mmCIF file of all heavy atoms in Angstrom:
data_model
loop_
_atom_site.group_PDB
_atom_site.id
_atom_site.type_symbol
_atom_site.label_atom_id
_atom_site.label_comp_id
_atom_site.label_asym_id
_atom_site.label_seq_id
_atom_site.Cartn_x
_atom_site.Cartn_y
_atom_site.Cartn_z
ATOM 1 N N CYS A 163 21.272 23.595 -12.667
ATOM 2 C CA CYS A 163 21.048 22.083 -12.571
ATOM 3 C C CYS A 163 20.686 21.781 -11.031
ATOM 4 O O CYS A 163 19.905 20.808 -10.862
ATOM 5 C CB CYS A 163 22.453 21.344 -12.919
ATOM 6 S SG CYS A 163 22.737 21.454 -14.668
ATOM 7 N N LYS A 164 21.137 22.577 -10.240
ATOM 8 C CA LYS A 164 20.788 22.288 -8.767
ATOM 9 C C LYS A 164 19.263 22.494 -8.625
ATOM 10 O O LYS A 164 18.537 21.757 -7.852
ATOM 11 C CB LYS A 164 21.550 23.278 -7.876
ATOM 12 C CG LYS A 164 21.455 22.928 -6.285
ATOM 13 C CD LYS A 164 22.322 23.797 -5.555
ATOM 14 C CE LYS A 164 22.210 23.428 -4.048
ATOM 15 N NZ LYS A 164 23.122 24.220 -3.287
ATOM 16 N N LYS A 165 18.732 23.570 -9.306
ATOM 17 C CA LYS A 165 17.340 23.775 -9.163
ATOM 18 C C LYS A 165 16.514 22.524 -9.765
ATOM 19 O O LYS A 165 15.357 22.070 -9.340
ATOM 20 C CB LYS A 165 16.879 25.086 -9.922
ATOM 21 C CG LYS A 165 17.099 26.337 -9.145
ATOM 22 C CD LYS A 165 16.783 27.505 -9.939
ATOM 23 C CE LYS A 165 17.145 28.809 -9.224
ATOM 24 N NZ LYS A 165 16.816 30.004 -10.004
ATOM 25 N N VAL A 166 17.073 22.087 -10.955
ATOM 26 C CA VAL A 166 16.357 20.946 -11.628
ATOM 27 C C VAL A 166 16.536 19.722 -10.578
ATOM 28 O O VAL A 166 15.504 18.941 -10.460
ATOM 29 C CB VAL A 166 17.048 20.494 -12.940
ATOM 30 C CG1 VAL A 166 16.580 19.339 -13.485
ATOM 31 C CG2 VAL A 166 17.002 21.606 -13.973
ATOM 32 N N TYR A 167 17.590 19.531 -9.980
ATOM 33 C CA TYR A 167 17.876 18.442 -8.968
ATOM 34 C C TYR A 167 16.799 18.540 -7.875
ATOM 35 O O TYR A 167 16.118 17.581 -7.421
ATOM 36 C CB TYR A 167 19.208 18.544 -8.479
ATOM 37 C CG TYR A 167 19.421 17.573 -7.346
ATOM 38 C CD1 TYR A 167 19.354 16.142 -7.321
ATOM 39 C CD2 TYR A 167 19.677 18.128 -6.049
ATOM 40 C CE1 TYR A 167 19.467 15.275 -6.240
ATOM 41 C CE2 TYR A 167 19.832 17.375 -4.891
ATOM 42 C CZ TYR A 167 19.779 16.067 -4.966
ATOM 43 O OH TYR A 167 19.964 15.162 -3.843
ATOM 44 N N GLU A 168 16.747 19.902 -7.408
ATOM 45 C CA GLU A 168 15.799 20.068 -6.126
ATOM 46 C C GLU A 168 14.251 19.706 -6.598
ATOM 47 O O GLU A 168 13.545 19.096 -5.836
ATOM 48 C CB GLU A 168 15.848 21.444 -5.742
ATOM 49 C CG GLU A 168 17.160 21.810 -4.997
ATOM 50 C CD GLU A 168 17.286 21.055 -3.698
ATOM 51 O OE1 GLU A 168 16.396 20.526 -3.143
ATOM 52 O OE2 GLU A 168 18.614 20.843 -3.312
ATOM 53 N N GLU A 169 13.886 20.040 -7.773
ATOM 54 C CA GLU A 169 12.564 19.893 -8.289
ATOM 55 C C GLU A 169 12.353 18.334 -8.427
ATOM 56 O O GLU A 169 11.240 17.747 -8.015
ATOM 57 C CB GLU A 169 12.262 20.508 -9.689
ATOM 58 C CG GLU A 169 12.148 21.997 -9.563
ATOM 59 C CD GLU A 169 10.879 22.362 -8.837
ATOM 60 O OE1 GLU A 169 9.780 21.721 -9.048
ATOM 61 O OE2 GLU A 169 10.863 23.423 -8.084
ATOM 62 N N ILE A 170 13.270 17.714 -9.063
ATOM 63 C CA ILE A 170 13.109 16.220 -9.235
ATOM 64 C C ILE A 170 13.069 15.411 -7.849
ATOM 65 O O ILE A 170 12.358 14.561 -7.648
ATOM 66 C CB ILE A 170 14.354 15.592 -10.101
ATOM 67 C CG1 ILE A 170 14.100 16.157 -11.533
ATOM 68 C CG2 ILE A 170 14.335 14.130 -10.074
ATOM 69 C CD1 ILE A 170 15.377 15.830 -12.260
ATOM 70 N N LYS A 171 13.925 15.941 -6.936
ATOM 71 C CA LYS A 171 13.950 15.413 -5.571
ATOM 72 C C LYS A 171 12.591 15.549 -4.897
ATOM 73 O O LYS A 171 12.160 14.705 -4.232
ATOM 74 C CB LYS A 171 15.070 16.078 -4.852
ATOM 75 C CG LYS A 171 15.427 15.287 -3.515
ATOM 76 C CD LYS A 171 16.648 16.009 -2.875
ATOM 77 C CE LYS A 171 16.891 15.373 -1.470
ATOM 78 N NZ LYS A 171 17.972 16.039 -0.813
ATOM 79 N N LYS A 172 12.033 16.750 -5.134
ATOM 80 C CA LYS A 172 10.784 17.050 -4.427
ATOM 81 C C LYS A 172 9.637 16.183 -5.033
ATOM 82 O O LYS A 172 8.832 15.692 -4.307
ATOM 83 C CB LYS A 172 10.359 18.580 -4.620
ATOM 84 C CG LYS A 172 9.072 19.059 -4.012
ATOM 85 C CD LYS A 172 9.002 20.517 -4.304
ATOM 86 C CE LYS A 172 7.595 21.027 -3.649
ATOM 87 N NZ LYS A 172 7.359 22.383 -4.035
ATOM 88 N N ASP A 173 9.582 16.099 -6.359
ATOM 89 C CA ASP A 173 8.600 15.231 -7.123
ATOM 90 C C ASP A 173 8.842 13.706 -6.606
ATOM 91 O O ASP A 173 7.770 13.018 -6.527
ATOM 92 C CB ASP A 173 8.721 15.310 -8.554
ATOM 93 C CG ASP A 173 8.337 16.702 -9.108
ATOM 94 O OD1 ASP A 173 7.528 17.416 -8.372
ATOM 95 O OD2 ASP A 173 8.680 17.033 -10.247
ATOM 96 N N LYS A 174 10.110 13.321 -6.526
ATOM 97 C CA LYS A 174 10.323 12.030 -6.101
ATOM 98 C C LYS A 174 9.789 11.682 -4.693
ATOM 99 O O LYS A 174 9.299 10.632 -4.477
ATOM 100 C CB LYS A 174 11.826 11.693 -6.190
ATOM 101 C CG LYS A 174 12.153 10.207 -6.029
ATOM 102 C CD LYS A 174 13.670 9.913 -6.213
ATOM 103 C CE LYS A 174 13.847 8.497 -6.094
ATOM 104 N NZ LYS A 174 13.306 7.709 -5.066
ATOM 105 N N LYS A 175 9.939 12.706 -3.862
ATOM 106 C CA LYS A 175 9.406 12.548 -2.456
ATOM 107 C C LYS A 175 7.892 12.302 -2.466
ATOM 108 O O LYS A 175 7.315 11.450 -1.709
ATOM 109 C CB LYS A 175 9.751 13.724 -1.633
ATOM 110 C CG LYS A 175 11.193 13.644 -1.056
ATOM 111 C CD LYS A 175 11.476 14.834 -0.141
ATOM 112 C CE LYS A 175 12.880 14.861 0.458
ATOM 113 N NZ LYS A 175 13.187 15.948 1.280
ATOM 114 N N ILE A 176 7.209 13.156 -3.235
ATOM 115 C CA ILE A 176 5.751 13.005 -3.505
ATOM 116 C C ILE A 176 5.407 11.657 -3.966
ATOM 117 O O ILE A 176 4.470 10.971 -3.480
ATOM 118 C CB ILE A 176 5.200 14.033 -4.315
ATOM 119 C CG1 ILE A 176 5.367 15.468 -3.596
ATOM 120 C CG2 ILE A 176 3.697 13.908 -4.669
ATOM 121 C CD1 ILE A 176 5.072 16.754 -4.474
ATOM 122 N N ASP A 177 6.168 11.236 -5.054
ATOM 123 C CA ASP A 177 5.879 9.934 -5.653
ATOM 124 C C ASP A 177 6.113 8.809 -4.646
ATOM 125 O O ASP A 177 5.242 7.808 -4.613
ATOM 126 C CB ASP A 177 6.800 9.702 -6.854
ATOM 127 C CG ASP A 177 6.303 10.598 -8.096
ATOM 128 O OD1 ASP A 177 5.272 11.094 -8.002
ATOM 129 O OD2 ASP A 177 7.207 10.755 -8.980
ATOM 130 N N ASP A 178 7.167 8.948 -3.883
ATOM 131 C CA ASP A 178 7.520 7.872 -2.879
ATOM 132 C C ASP A 178 6.497 7.820 -1.727
ATOM 133 O O ASP A 178 6.033 6.724 -1.459
ATOM 134 C CB ASP A 178 8.866 8.071 -2.199
ATOM 135 C CG ASP A 178 9.989 8.018 -3.178
ATOM 136 O OD1 ASP A 178 9.826 7.263 -4.228
ATOM 137 O OD2 ASP A 178 11.188 8.253 -2.796
ATOM 138 N N ALA A 179 5.899 9.074 -1.444
ATOM 139 C CA ALA A 179 4.834 9.079 -0.361
ATOM 140 C C ALA A 179 3.565 8.448 -0.942
ATOM 141 O O ALA A 179 2.869 7.651 -0.300
ATOM 142 C CB ALA A 179 4.501 10.520 -0.091
ATOM 143 N N ASP A 180 3.288 8.709 -2.296
ATOM 144 C CA ASP A 180 2.166 8.141 -2.934
ATOM 145 C C ASP A 180 2.156 6.553 -2.991
ATOM 146 O O ASP A 180 1.298 5.838 -2.782
ATOM 147 C CB ASP A 180 1.936 8.640 -4.250
ATOM 148 C CG ASP A 180 1.424 10.129 -4.254
ATOM 149 O OD1 ASP A 180 0.903 10.584 -3.149
ATOM 150 O OD2 ASP A 180 1.531 10.820 -5.311
ATOM 151 N N ASP A 181 3.476 6.162 -3.390
ATOM 152 C CA ASP A 181 3.733 4.687 -3.551
ATOM 153 C C ASP A 181 3.524 4.064 -2.153
ATOM 154 O O ASP A 181 3.008 2.932 -2.013
ATOM 155 C CB ASP A 181 5.145 4.509 -4.005
ATOM 156 C CG ASP A 181 5.324 4.800 -5.546
ATOM 157 O OD1 ASP A 181 4.350 4.893 -6.112
ATOM 158 O OD2 ASP A 181 6.459 4.976 -5.983
ATOM 159 N N LYS A 182 4.023 4.809 -1.070
ATOM 160 C CA LYS A 182 3.894 4.175 0.288
ATOM 161 C C LYS A 182 2.506 4.051 0.630
ATOM 162 O O LYS A 182 2.034 3.044 1.192
ATOM 163 C CB LYS A 182 4.708 4.990 1.298
ATOM 164 C CG LYS A 182 4.755 4.425 2.652
ATOM 165 C CD LYS A 182 5.623 5.240 3.660
ATOM 166 C CE LYS A 182 5.820 4.547 4.967
ATOM 167 N NZ LYS A 182 4.610 4.158 5.559
ATOM 168 N N ILE A 183 1.722 5.055 0.450
ATOM 169 C CA ILE A 183 0.263 5.071 0.649
ATOM 170 C C ILE A 183 -0.387 3.817 -0.084
ATOM 171 O O ILE A 183 -1.235 3.195 0.379
ATOM 172 C CB ILE A 183 -0.477 6.351 0.219
ATOM 173 C CG1 ILE A 183 -0.018 7.500 1.244
ATOM 174 C CG2 ILE A 183 -1.947 6.299 0.270
ATOM 175 C CD1 ILE A 183 -0.377 8.930 0.792
ATOM 176 N N GLU A 184 -0.037 3.765 -1.388
ATOM 177 C CA GLU A 184 -0.630 2.742 -2.245
ATOM 178 C C GLU A 184 -0.171 1.224 -1.723
ATOM 179 O O GLU A 184 -1.076 0.366 -1.636
ATOM 180 C CB GLU A 184 -0.122 2.845 -3.688
ATOM 181 C CG GLU A 184 -0.858 1.881 -4.562
ATOM 182 C CD GLU A 184 -0.419 2.144 -6.055
ATOM 183 O OE1 GLU A 184 0.116 3.175 -6.339
ATOM 184 O OE2 GLU A 184 -0.759 1.224 -6.901
ATOM 185 N N ILE A 185 1.131 1.262 -1.295
ATOM 186 C CA ILE A 185 1.546 -0.050 -0.653
ATOM 187 C C ILE A 185 0.859 -0.351 0.550
ATOM 188 O O ILE A 185 0.396 -1.584 0.853
ATOM 189 C CB ILE A 185 3.059 -0.010 -0.489
ATOM 190 C CG1 ILE A 185 3.776 -0.131 -1.968
ATOM 191 C CG2 ILE A 185 3.495 -1.261 0.347
ATOM 192 C CD1 ILE A 185 5.191 0.254 -1.903
ATOM 193 N N ASP A 186 0.745 0.559 1.460
ATOM 194 C CA ASP A 186 0.031 0.418 2.744
ATOM 195 C C ASP A 186 -1.459 0.000 2.470
ATOM 196 O O ASP A 186 -2.008 -0.864 3.148
ATOM 197 C CB ASP A 186 -0.028 1.655 3.516
ATOM 198 C CG ASP A 186 1.438 1.983 4.150
ATOM 199 O OD1 ASP A 186 2.213 1.013 4.126
ATOM 200 O OD2 ASP A 186 1.760 3.036 4.485
ATOM 201 N N TYR A 187 -2.045 0.628 1.510
ATOM 202 C CA TYR A 187 -3.443 0.384 1.129
ATOM 203 C C TYR A 187 -3.570 -1.091 0.744
ATOM 204 O O TYR A 187 -4.444 -1.802 1.090
ATOM 205 C CB TYR A 187 -3.980 1.309 0.122
ATOM 206 C CG TYR A 187 -5.352 0.916 -0.486
ATOM 207 C CD1 TYR A 187 -6.526 1.185 0.387
ATOM 208 C CD2 TYR A 187 -5.405 0.343 -1.738
ATOM 209 C CE1 TYR A 187 -7.730 0.785 -0.261
ATOM 210 C CE2 TYR A 187 -6.691 -0.012 -2.156
ATOM 211 C CZ TYR A 187 -7.856 0.140 -1.363
ATOM 212 O OH TYR A 187 -9.070 -0.185 -1.982
ATOM 213 N N LEU A 188 -2.606 -1.505 -0.176
ATOM 214 C CA LEU A 188 -2.703 -2.843 -0.738
ATOM 215 C C LEU A 188 -2.438 -3.868 0.402
ATOM 216 O O LEU A 188 -2.955 -4.967 0.344
ATOM 217 C CB LEU A 188 -1.606 -3.039 -1.815
ATOM 218 C CG LEU A 188 -1.938 -2.324 -3.228
ATOM 219 C CD1 LEU A 188 -0.695 -2.386 -4.146
ATOM 220 C CD2 LEU A 188 -3.105 -2.946 -3.805
ATOM 221 N N LYS A 189 -1.516 -3.562 1.379
ATOM 222 C CA LYS A 189 -1.284 -4.435 2.430
ATOM 223 C C LYS A 189 -2.603 -4.655 3.221
ATOM 224 O O LYS A 189 -2.864 -5.678 3.659
ATOM 225 C CB LYS A 189 -0.188 -3.874 3.366
ATOM 226 C CG LYS A 189 1.254 -4.071 2.789
ATOM 227 C CD LYS A 189 2.299 -3.597 3.712
ATOM 228 C CE LYS A 189 3.675 -3.799 3.231
ATOM 229 N NZ LYS A 189 4.684 -3.168 4.019
ATOM 230 N N ARG A 190 -3.342 -3.512 3.507
ATOM 231 C CA ARG A 190 -4.532 -3.579 4.318
ATOM 232 C C ARG A 190 -5.594 -4.337 3.586
ATOM 233 O O ARG A 190 -6.315 -5.228 4.165
ATOM 234 C CB ARG A 190 -5.083 -2.179 4.545
ATOM 235 C CG ARG A 190 -4.320 -1.375 5.654
ATOM 236 C CD ARG A 190 -5.138 -0.242 6.238
ATOM 237 N NE ARG A 190 -5.529 0.720 5.111
ATOM 238 C CZ ARG A 190 -4.737 1.705 4.741
ATOM 239 N NH1 ARG A 190 -3.596 1.832 5.348
ATOM 240 N NH2 ARG A 190 -5.148 2.655 3.799
ATOM 241 N N VAL A 191 -5.640 -4.245 2.197
ATOM 242 C CA VAL A 191 -6.679 -5.045 1.398
ATOM 243 C C VAL A 191 -6.233 -6.542 1.538
ATOM 244 O O VAL A 191 -7.129 -7.342 1.574
ATOM 245 C CB VAL A 191 -6.653 -4.545 0.006
ATOM 246 C CG1 VAL A 191 -7.371 -5.518 -0.952
ATOM 247 C CG2 VAL A 191 -7.226 -3.097 -0.148
ATOM 248 N N ASN A 192 -4.890 -6.739 1.382
ATOM 249 C CA ASN A 192 -4.403 -8.080 1.435
ATOM 250 C C ASN A 192 -4.817 -8.799 2.777
ATOM 251 O O ASN A 192 -5.181 -10.009 2.786
ATOM 252 C CB ASN A 192 -2.941 -8.085 1.243
ATOM 253 C CG ASN A 192 -2.438 -9.055 0.231
ATOM 254 O OD1 ASN A 192 -3.305 -9.671 -0.493
ATOM 255 N ND2 ASN A 192 -1.156 -9.186 0.026
ATOM 256 N N LYS A 193 -4.610 -8.035 3.879
ATOM 257 C CA LYS A 193 -4.976 -8.489 5.228
ATOM 258 C C LYS A 193 -6.450 -8.895 5.346
ATOM 259 O O LYS A 193 -6.706 -9.964 5.811
ATOM 260 C CB LYS A 193 -4.576 -7.509 6.251
ATOM 261 C CG LYS A 193 -3.157 -7.602 6.766
ATOM 262 C CD LYS A 193 -2.949 -6.705 8.006
ATOM 263 C CE LYS A 193 -1.515 -6.728 8.482
ATOM 264 N NZ LYS A 193 -1.330 -5.803 9.551
ATOM 265 N N LYS A 194 -7.202 -7.967 4.836
ATOM 266 C CA LYS A 194 -8.697 -8.175 4.888
ATOM 267 C C LYS A 194 -9.091 -9.471 4.001
ATOM 268 O O LYS A 194 -9.882 -10.213 4.449
ATOM 269 C CB LYS A 194 -9.451 -6.890 4.324
ATOM 270 C CG LYS A 194 -9.507 -5.838 5.289
ATOM 271 C CD LYS A 194 -10.345 -4.669 4.773
ATOM 272 C CE LYS A 194 -10.378 -3.497 5.782
ATOM 273 N NZ LYS A 194 -11.064 -2.356 5.170
ATOM 274 N N LEU A 195 -8.397 -9.620 2.888
ATOM 275 C CA LEU A 195 -8.724 -10.724 2.046
ATOM 276 C C LEU A 195 -8.311 -12.117 2.708
ATOM 277 O O LEU A 195 -9.100 -13.081 2.651
ATOM 278 C CB LEU A 195 -7.982 -10.665 0.612
ATOM 279 C CG LEU A 195 -8.580 -9.546 -0.351
ATOM 280 C CD1 LEU A 195 -7.676 -9.420 -1.519
ATOM 281 C CD2 LEU A 195 -10.051 -9.901 -0.720
ATOM 282 N N LYS A 196 -7.111 -12.034 3.262
ATOM 283 C CA LYS A 196 -6.720 -13.186 4.051
ATOM 284 C C LYS A 196 -7.627 -13.489 5.135
ATOM 285 O O LYS A 196 -7.899 -14.778 5.357
ATOM 286 C CB LYS A 196 -5.286 -12.913 4.582
ATOM 287 C CG LYS A 196 -4.155 -13.006 3.535
ATOM 288 C CD LYS A 196 -2.830 -12.898 4.216
ATOM 289 C CE LYS A 196 -1.619 -13.056 3.119
ATOM 290 N NZ LYS A 196 -0.424 -12.777 3.713
ATOM 291 N N ARG A 197 -8.066 -12.539 5.903
ATOM 292 C CA ARG A 197 -8.896 -12.718 7.116
ATOM 293 C C ARG A 197 -10.213 -13.356 6.575
ATOM 294 O O ARG A 197 -10.902 -14.197 7.161
ATOM 295 C CB ARG A 197 -9.227 -11.419 7.799
ATOM 296 C CG ARG A 197 -9.828 -11.585 9.176
ATOM 297 C CD ARG A 197 -9.974 -10.229 9.957
ATOM 298 N NE ARG A 197 -8.723 -9.593 10.069
ATOM 299 C CZ ARG A 197 -8.519 -8.322 9.629
ATOM 300 N NH1 ARG A 197 -9.351 -7.574 8.972
ATOM 301 N NH2 ARG A 197 -7.358 -7.761 9.918
ATOM 302 N N LYS A 198 -10.671 -12.716 5.390
ATOM 303 C CA LYS A 198 -11.931 -13.153 4.776
ATOM 304 C C LYS A 198 -11.888 -14.648 4.356
ATOM 305 O O LYS A 198 -12.777 -15.483 4.579
ATOM 306 C CB LYS A 198 -12.288 -12.281 3.643
ATOM 307 C CG LYS A 198 -13.822 -12.252 3.254
ATOM 308 C CD LYS A 198 -14.144 -11.285 2.194
ATOM 309 C CE LYS A 198 -15.541 -11.194 1.882
ATOM 310 N NZ LYS A 198 -15.877 -10.029 0.880
ATOM 311 N N LYS A 199 -10.649 -15.115 3.798
ATOM 312 C CA LYS A 199 -10.436 -16.312 3.305
ATOM 313 C C LYS A 199 -10.489 -17.368 4.534
ATOM 314 O O LYS A 199 -11.111 -18.436 4.360
ATOM 315 C CB LYS A 199 -9.158 -16.484 2.621
ATOM 316 C CG LYS A 199 -9.201 -15.992 1.174
ATOM 317 C CD LYS A 199 -7.738 -16.059 0.545
ATOM 318 C CE LYS A 199 -7.825 -15.585 -0.915
ATOM 319 N NZ LYS A 199 -6.518 -15.725 -1.514
ATOM 320 N N ILE A 200 -9.803 -16.937 5.688
ATOM 321 C CA ILE A 200 -9.760 -17.791 6.765
ATOM 322 C C ILE A 200 -11.212 -17.963 7.315
ATOM 323 O O ILE A 200 -11.549 -19.065 7.656
ATOM 324 C CB ILE A 200 -8.934 -17.061 7.880
ATOM 325 C CG1 ILE A 200 -7.497 -17.240 7.486
ATOM 326 C CG2 ILE A 200 -9.031 -17.809 9.192
ATOM 327 C CD1 ILE A 200 -6.495 -16.376 8.270
ATOM 328 N N ILE A 201 -12.028 -16.895 7.352
ATOM 329 C CA ILE A 201 -13.368 -16.954 7.917
ATOM 330 C C ILE A 201 -14.153 -17.877 6.990
ATOM 331 O O ILE A 201 -14.963 -18.730 7.465
ATOM 332 C CB ILE A 201 -13.964 -15.579 7.941
ATOM 333 C CG1 ILE A 201 -13.396 -14.758 9.069
ATOM 334 C CG2 ILE A 201 -15.545 -15.730 8.196
ATOM 335 C CD1 ILE A 201 -13.739 -13.281 8.988
ATOM 336 N N ILE A 202 -13.981 -17.817 5.600
ATOM 337 C CA ILE A 202 -14.724 -18.618 4.718
ATOM 338 C C ILE A 202 -14.301 -20.117 5.014
ATOM 339 O O ILE A 202 -15.225 -21.024 4.904
ATOM 340 C CB ILE A 202 -14.502 -18.186 3.256
ATOM 341 C CG1 ILE A 202 -15.188 -16.851 2.949
ATOM 342 C CG2 ILE A 202 -14.902 -19.170 2.293
ATOM 343 C CD1 ILE A 202 -14.706 -16.177 1.648
ATOM 344 N N VAL A 203 -12.920 -20.318 4.983
ATOM 345 C CA VAL A 203 -12.574 -21.727 5.267
ATOM 346 C C VAL A 203 -13.145 -22.286 6.626
ATOM 347 O O VAL A 203 -13.676 -23.446 6.617
ATOM 348 C CB VAL A 203 -11.004 -21.745 5.228
ATOM 349 C CG1 VAL A 203 -10.551 -23.149 5.779
ATOM 350 C CG2 VAL A 203 -10.326 -21.521 3.881
ATOM 351 N N ILE A 204 -13.016 -21.514 7.628
ATOM 352 C CA ILE A 204 -13.680 -22.030 8.886
ATOM 353 C C ILE A 204 -15.132 -22.340 8.868
ATOM 354 O O ILE A 204 -15.597 -23.286 9.381
ATOM 355 C CB ILE A 204 -13.195 -20.958 10.046
ATOM 356 C CG1 ILE A 204 -11.721 -20.933 10.355
ATOM 357 C CG2 ILE A 204 -14.045 -21.311 11.285
ATOM 358 C CD1 ILE A 204 -11.308 -19.888 11.326
ATOM 359 N N SER A 205 -15.842 -21.267 8.139
ATOM 360 C CA SER A 205 -17.218 -21.510 8.071
ATOM 361 C C SER A 205 -17.620 -22.765 7.165
ATOM 362 O O SER A 205 -18.522 -23.435 7.498
ATOM 363 C CB SER A 205 -17.976 -20.171 7.333
ATOM 364 O OG SER A 205 -17.561 -19.108 8.038
ATOM 365 N N SER A 206 -16.857 -22.905 6.081
ATOM 366 C CA SER A 206 -16.970 -24.117 5.264
ATOM 367 C C SER A 206 -16.848 -25.346 6.024
ATOM 368 O O SER A 206 -17.607 -26.353 5.918
ATOM 369 C CB SER A 206 -16.125 -24.099 4.043
ATOM 370 O OG SER A 206 -16.370 -22.870 3.363
ATOM 371 N N VAL A 207 -15.776 -25.385 6.785
ATOM 372 C CA VAL A 207 -15.523 -26.683 7.599
ATOM 373 C C VAL A 207 -16.653 -26.941 8.598
ATOM 374 O O VAL A 207 -17.102 -28.061 8.728
ATOM 375 C CB VAL A 207 -14.173 -26.487 8.316
ATOM 376 C CG1 VAL A 207 -13.966 -27.671 9.327
ATOM 377 C CG2 VAL A 207 -12.943 -26.516 7.451
ATOM 378 N N PHE A 208 -17.106 -25.799 9.202
ATOM 379 C CA PHE A 208 -18.148 -25.897 10.214
ATOM 380 C C PHE A 208 -19.499 -26.506 9.592
ATOM 381 O O PHE A 208 -20.074 -27.393 10.098
ATOM 382 C CB PHE A 208 -18.367 -24.448 10.924
ATOM 383 C CG PHE A 208 -19.510 -24.547 11.810
ATOM 384 C CD1 PHE A 208 -19.454 -25.069 13.124
ATOM 385 C CD2 PHE A 208 -20.755 -23.965 11.383
ATOM 386 C CE1 PHE A 208 -20.525 -25.156 13.937
ATOM 387 C CE2 PHE A 208 -21.830 -23.968 12.286
ATOM 388 C CZ PHE A 208 -21.689 -24.508 13.631
ATOM 389 N N ILE A 209 -19.791 -25.876 8.365
ATOM 390 C CA ILE A 209 -20.906 -26.372 7.691
ATOM 391 C C ILE A 209 -20.913 -27.768 7.234
ATOM 392 O O ILE A 209 -21.885 -28.570 7.365
ATOM 393 C CB ILE A 209 -21.141 -25.445 6.442
ATOM 394 C CG1 ILE A 209 -21.634 -23.959 6.884
ATOM 395 C CG2 ILE A 209 -22.275 -26.101 5.568
ATOM 396 C CD1 ILE A 209 -21.621 -23.003 5.764
#
């Protein structure tokens, strides 16, 4: 059971790392979208 636990724990670490990468990626995309929206709003007001 200890081996099963170690395997699950190892897989969970990999999953957590993947989730963190995915979350970080989504955060970066979100930031870019927000920046893009701000630029569009400022450009629209200027026009």
Side-chain angles (χ1 to χ4, degrees):
C163 288
K164 192 173 181 181
K165 283 180 183 177
V166 173
Y167 166 68
E168 293 295 338
E169 285 295 322
I170 291 171
K171 192 176 176 183
K172 185 179 176 184
D173 290 342
K174 190 175 184 310
K175 280 184 180 177
I176 293 169
D177 289 342
D178 288 347
D180 289 342
D181 288 344
K182 189 176 183 306
I183 290 168
E184 189 175 347
I185 289 167
D186 289 343
Y187 172 75
L188 289 172
K189 281 181 179 177
R190 285 198 299 273
V191 169
N192 233 5
K193 269 186 182 177
K194 284 183 179 178
L195 287 173
K196 281 182 181 176
R197 198 179 298 121
K198 203 170 184 179
K199 281 181 182 176
I200 291 169
I201 291 169
I202 289 169
V203 169
I204 292 171
S205 300
S206 299
V207 170
F208 177 75
I209 290 168

